[in-house]
Amino acid sequence: MKITVLFIFLFISSFQVYGQSETEEGRNAFILDSLKKAYFDGGEKNLDLLNKLLAKEQNPDTLLKYGNILLQKSSKDSLFSNLYAAHLQIGNAYKLKGNLSEGLANYFIALKYAEKYENNEDIGKIFVAIADTYSASENSQNAIIYYRKSIEILENGNDSIGLGSAIFNAGDEYLNMGKLDSALLFTERSQQIFERVNFPLGEAYCLGNLGMIFAKYGNNSIAEDRINQAIEILEKYADYYAIAVYLNFMSSIYLEKGEEAMALSYSQQSLDLAKKYGLKEQISESNLLLSKIYEQSGNAPKALESYKQYILYRDSVNNIQAVQEIANLRTDYEVSQKQVEVDSLEKEALISQLKEKRQQLIIYAVLFVLLFVILVAIMTYRRYRFEKETKLIIEKEKNRSEELLLNILPEETAEELKNDGKVMAKRIDSVTVLFTDFKSFTAISENISPEKLVESIDFYFKEFDRITTKYGLEKIKTIGDSYMCAGGLPIQNKTHPKDVILAAKEMMAFVNQELKNDLMHFEMRIGIHTGPIVAGIVGIKKWQYDIWGDTVNIASRMETNSVEGKINMSETTYELIKDEFECEYRGSIDVKNRGIWKMYFLKES
């Protein structure tokens, strides 16, 4: 039950998801005709008029036509806002026609133009369009990512309807994923926004979805109350499609619980409503549900009758007129055969004439069947190509999102973020933390170009990244010329002190080597300490995996109290590695709020 992205941009006075009342349709048709007349009567150069025309148009073919006109006119003058609007409407047209890959491609182009003229509200809305398209292609992971991006931006703007719609759609996606707690949280928040801006139709969709959520929780009385409230509002807006959907949902819930009587009541209400207003798709769905109810209750004749009605209306919705015409041809042929038998005593000329007619009918029928088969084959092939192209685009975008996420977060943390939408901070009892620092970095940086300085730092830190990966360590961050990493997280292990010592030795050996290029050579000191930490990510923008605690502070003090070319460690780390590595005691320091700490140098081997 998504609120369509078209509604967010082209808000008139009702949702365009399920239709409008006759009065509303008539008013919109009158406005659209007036705009077209004004445009073709001399307003071709008025881009504002063309934008208004696009805002009212709902036919995808016409929307595509005028969208391309706006695109051509705007490209000449590089009008970013109009280029954004043109690609948005072209994307909407393709999405309405079922071409999700083309729709998505145009939405991303529209996003590029919105970013160029720095309109956060338009950026937030195009994120909703992208999220809705991923949702339609059943890629819930990417849909949630873009819903969250849109909410983050729209929260800082003035478009309450757009914000409420984005939050509602995210809640609906969580409902489809079976994450009821998140679905409830987002839907209730959307309802509060719609109530604040006095938007009853938005409240109705929230109430309907809350009913579905409570039903899945098993709270049938609350679910029924919410859906009945939604239906009461939807009836005022003549949104009978949505009413029929909610009634069928309640029927399915009661059917799963084995309460056939209640299931039958709700499904029959949906069917009656759909028949009254000619909603063929819902007539078909209601009959299918009724057939399941009758089958479960043991009423086989009723089940068969409802299933036949389901097939009948399903075929009507799919518009299989060609099959009916073939049936008519076959009937004509059979009638002609009977006529030959009845008139067998007629003159030979009349018999020949009837045979000729029969043969013509057979030829026409065969030709028609062949044409129908060819059309079906073409449509099937085009559908296959469309699905293949869509899957390639979606898979490419999914892989890109995965790579970006894994580049900034550990794999375990990234999985938790994708599954739960957040990451809980974790305490880890034993982690070994390493800090590095280059000698006289500030003084050296004042005497060389910034480009050469960055190139030199990059040369060393790339090798440090390789070494941390080699020994299973987690890079935490770099601060200027300081490099920080840790072992034993996010997955705990018992070898992290040894792993960090081996990595430290390899880092020191790399820095001490003689360079054969013109990069800057530095002297480096290293500090190491082992202890408990708290790990996680904070904030909602530019996520970074980080660690906190006294262990981090003490490791930093070990580094500042080391000397160039030496690896300095705390007594805690020394006790864990002394049987495998030779060390020498080198004194102690007073760590603020932590007392006196003994320090050891790792001897060179």
Side-chain angles (χ1 to χ4, degrees), residues 224 250-251 254-255 259-267 269:
E224 190 171 356
M250 287 302 299
S251 177
Y254 280 108
L255 181 62
E259 300 181 28
E260 288 89 355
M262 289 296 294
L264 181 62
S265 172
Y266 277 105
S267 186
Q269 289 180 58

Side-chain angles (χ1 to χ4, degrees), residues 205-369:
Y205 280 102
C206 290
L207 286 167
N209 272 30
L210 285 173
M212 293 194 289
I213 293 168
F214 283 119
K216 287 184 177 292
Y217 274 128
N219 298 331
N220 292 340
S221 60
I222 299 177
E224 190 171 356
D225 177 67
R226 295 293 188 277
I227 287 181
N228 285 333
Q229 290 180 50
I231 291 172
E232 184 178 349
I233 298 173
L234 292 169
E235 285 176 339
K236 297 177 182 178
Y237 290 86
D239 197 344
Y240 302 113
Y241 186 101
I243 296 173
V245 170
Y246 286 134
L247 288 172
N248 270 342
F249 180 83
M250 287 302 299
S251 177
S252 299
I253 292 299
Y254 280 108
L255 181 62
E256 290 178 5
K257 296 179 178 298
E259 300 181 28
E260 288 89 355
M262 289 296 294
L264 181 62
S265 172
Y266 277 105
S267 186
Q268 190 63 52
Q269 289 180 58
S270 177
L271 179 60
D272 293 342
L273 187 67
K275 284 182 176 179
K276 181 177 179 180
Y277 294 101
L279 305 173
K280 290 185 178 182
E281 183 180 350
Q282 282 307 306
I283 293 175
S284 176
E285 292 300 318
S286 296
N287 274 302
L288 177 60
L289 190 54
L290 281 169
S291 70
K292 293 178 181 178
I293 296 170
Y294 286 128
E295 181 181 10
Q296 186 166 309
S297 58
N299 192 338
K302 281 282 189 181
L304 179 59
E305 180 184 349
S306 295
Y307 191 77
K308 286 180 179 179
Q309 289 296 310
Y310 156 68
I311 295 295
L312 175 65
Y313 280 95
R314 182 199 64 182
D315 292 345
S316 177
V317 171
N318 292 336
N319 190 21
I320 57 167
Q321 183 180 359
V323 176
Q324 294 172 342
E325 291 179 5
I326 292 174
N328 291 336
L329 287 173
R330 180 177 177 83
T331 300
D332 290 342
Y333 167 69
E334 291 174 352
V335 169
S336 67
Q337 279 190 313
K338 291 295 182 184
Q339 189 64 41
V340 171
E341 294 174 3
V342 171
D343 298 332
S344 60
L345 300 177
E346 293 288 332
K347 293 180 180 181
E348 187 67 27
L350 180 60
I351 295 175
S352 299
Q353 184 180 2
L354 291 173
K355 287 182 177 180
E356 183 179 351
K357 181 180 179 181
R358 182 187 65 183
Q359 290 172 349
Q360 288 177 346
L361 289 173
I362 294 174
I363 292 172
Y364 293 149
V366 170
L367 289 175
F368 194 88
V369 170

